Amino acid sequence: MYPGPGDHRSDAADGGSGEVPVYRPVVDLDSGAVLAVDADIRAADGRSRSEWPGDPASAAERLSRLVRSATARELLLPLVVPLPAQAVTAEPEVFHLFEDTLRRSGRRPRDVTVMLGPDLPRVPREPLVRGLARLREQGFRCGLGTAAVPPDLLLETSPFLLRIDPGIVGGLPGDQRMGALVDGLVRIGHGGGVFPMASGVTSDEQVSRLREAGVRLAQGPLFADDDWLPGERVGSVPAAPVEAAQERHDSGPPVAEFMRPPVAMNTDATAEEVLDAFSADTALNSVVLIDHRDRPIAHIDRARFLLAVTGPYGHALHAKRPASRLADTPRTVPRNVRAMAALRAAGHERERVYDDLVTVNEFGQCTGIVHVGDLIQSLAGEAE
C-alpha cells in the first residue's frame, strides 16, 4: 500500500469508523491521462485495513462508504474498489446492497471495477468462478488484484483488469526474470481481452519497460503522492517514442472534436428496437451494438437498415429477430487520433466510405461516433 503514516488527511470515509479513504490515479502510459480512480480504505493511523467484515451488510456498508466518498470528489471517472476474493464466493448479497447504494449515488455497476484482493490464490476455484459470474450478471466489472494466479484461471474468468504486483514492477527493468514474467502476463491477458495494470510504478525506466511489454495502465508514486485527491494534477508521464512517419502524415484536429454521443444497444437488440430509435430521431445516422464491456461489436447504418426493414415483407422478416443480422463490422478509431488518420480509415472500404466511424477509448470501449462529412469539411477548410 502506498499510503503511510505521514498521510495527514482527515476526510474519513465515515465519521465514526476511524477509516480514511485513499485515492490513486490510474494513468494511461501513452497519453498521461487519468482513466480511473483506484479507491481504498485504511485506518486513520496509517495502517492498512486488511480485515473484512464477516456479515454481508457490514461488507456492503464499507464498500458504500468508499464509493460515496469517491463520488463526492469524482463524478465522471470509473472507480476501482477492493474486495477480498473470499467475499465474492461467500456473500453474494453484498452486491445487491452495494448496487442499491451505487445507483443512489448516481453510479452504475458498470462504472465500478471490483478488484479482488491478494487472498485470491487461496480461494477454491469453482466458488470463485461462480462468484465472478454473478458479478458480471449484475453489471460489475471485475479485476484480479494479484498476478499470482494460474494462467488458465485468468483465461477462464476473463476479468477486466489484472493488477501486476509492485514486487514484480519493482524488478524492472534490471531483473530479466521479472521482465519475462510481465511479458508473459501481458501476452496472456491480451489474448483473453484482459487489461494489465502495473502498480507501484516509481521510475521513468519502469514506464519504458512496461510500454515495451504492452502495458497501457499504471499507478504508483511516480504519478501521485499519498495525498492525491481526484481532480488534482498527476505527475507527467515520460514521453513515448513517436513514429516520425505517422507524425508527418497525420494532421488536422483531434477526432475527439467531432465526436457525437453514440446510440448504443446491447448485441441482443432486435431490429424493431433499432427501428424505433431511427424513427424517433430522423437525424440519427447509425446505431452501435456493444458487448458487456461496452466494446463496439457491430454497426448499423441507417440507410441500409431501413432499406432492408421497410422493404416488401421486411418488417415481418426482421422485426423480432436480432438487429445484428443487418449490421456491419464497426470501423473504430482511437478517440485521440487526428482527423486525417481517421479519414484514411474511412477510405479503406469504398462501399462504406461515408459510414460513421466509432471512436474508442484506451479500453476499446465505445465513446462516440464521428460523421465522415464533418472530417472532410474540417480538412477542406484548413486547405483553404
Side-chain angles (χ1 to χ4, degrees):
M1 300 286 290
Y2 309 138
D7 190 345
H8 55 274
R9 292 182 303 169
S10 59
D11 54 338
D14 180 73
S17 68
E19 296 176 334
V20 176
V22 178
Y23 308 104
R24 307 183 188 96
V26 178
V27 176
D28 174 19
L29 293 184
D30 284 351
S31 68
V34 178
L35 301 182
V37 173
D38 191 356
D40 204 348
I41 292 178
R42 65 170 174 76
D45 61 8
R47 293 177 300 171
S48 172
R49 284 283 194 189
S50 57
E51 73 278 4
W52 193 259
D55 65 284
S58 298
E61 178 56 27
R62 171 176 279 192
L63 281 174
S64 299
R65 289 200 308 269
L66 184 56
V67 169
R68 284 196 298 267
S69 174
T71 302
R73 295 184 178 278
E74 173 54 63
L75 297 175
L76 301 177
L77 290 174
L79 298 177
V80 181
V81 296
L83 187 72
Q86 187 63 45
V88 176
T89 66
E91 307 291 356
E93 309 96 289
V94 167
F95 299 101
H96 294 291
L97 297 167
F98 180 42
E99 182 181 359
D100 182 60
T101 299
L102 271 180
R103 295 192 184 280
R104 284 189 279 113
S105 300
R107 289 279 188 168
R108 301 166 299 174
R110 70 193 222 180
D111 296 329
V112 176
T113 298
V114 178
M115 185 70 75
L116 305 190
D119 63 325
L120 190 64
R122 302 191 296 274
V123 176
R125 184 177 187 124
E126 290 187 11
L128 176 65
V129 173
R130 288 196 300 269
L132 289 174
R134 284 195 299 266
L135 269 178
R136 279 193 285 269
E137 288 172 1
Q138 290 182 253
F140 291 99
R141 305 187 193 284
C142 63
L144 303 187
T146 174
V149 295
D152 61 327
L153 177 63
L154 181 61
L155 296 177
E156 181 179 1
T157 56
S158 188
F160 184 59
L161 294 176
L162 171 67
R163 190 193 301 273
I164 302 178
D165 308 290
I168 297 174
V169 175
L172 303 178
D175 191 329
Q176 294 184 357
R177 299 170 303 165
M178 294 301 181
L181 179 56
V182 170
D183 290 337
L185 289 169
V186 172
R187 187 170 183 178
I188 294 170
H190 285 174
V194 181
F195 293 96
M197 180 178 74
S199 56
V201 176
T202 59
S203 70
D204 292 358
E205 292 74 22
Q206 289 174 352
V207 170
S208 297
R209 182 63 181 86
L210 290 167
R211 279 182 180 141
E212 181 183 329
V215 177
R216 293 283 302 273
L217 308 175
Q219 58 171 229
L222 180 65
F223 311 114
D225 60 22
D226 296 349
D227 291 327
W228 184 83
L229 294 173
E232 294 181 349
R233 296 174 64 89
V234 298
S236 59
V237 176
V242 178
E243 295 184 21
Q246 181 177 350
E247 190 68 21
R248 283 196 302 270
H249 295 296
D250 287 354
S251 60
V255 77
E257 293 186 11
F258 306 96
M259 275 198 322
R260 300 168 184 251
V263 173
M265 297 184 180
N266 293 331
T267 52
D268 58 358
T270 65
E272 191 166 42
E273 291 172 319
V274 174
L275 180 59
D276 289 342
F278 284 133
S279 300
D281 185 355
T282 57
L284 179 62
N285 279 4
S286 62
V287 169
V288 182
L289 302 183
I290 58 174
D291 66 7
H292 69 284
R293 297 188 179 192
D294 293 344
R295 296 176 300 190
I297 300 299
H299 173 271
I300 300 175
D301 175 73
R302 180 189 187 93
R304 290 193 295 274
F305 176 83
L306 293 181
L307 186 63
V309 172
T310 61
Y313 308 107
H315 191 274
L317 287 172
H318 301 296
K320 301 300 183 183
R321 305 180 74 178
S324 57
R325 298 169 60 253
L326 302 173
D328 298 293
T329 302
R331 299 185 305 169
T332 60
V333 293
R335 62 180 177 180
N336 58 353
V337 77
R338 294 283 174 176
M340 182 59 76
L343 199 56
R344 286 202 305 271
H348 286 168
E349 297 181 61
R350 303 180 82 177
E351 65 277 9
R352 297 181 57 196
V353 67
Y354 287 106
D355 281 14
D356 288 345
L357 299 174
V358 181
T359 59
V360 295
N361 64 12
E362 294 78 4
F363 298 117
Q365 297 167 316
C366 176
T367 59
I369 57 96
V370 173
H371 296 338
V372 172
D374 292 345
L375 300 178
I376 296 173
Q377 186 176 3
S378 171
L379 293 172
E382 286 190 1
E384 292 175 1

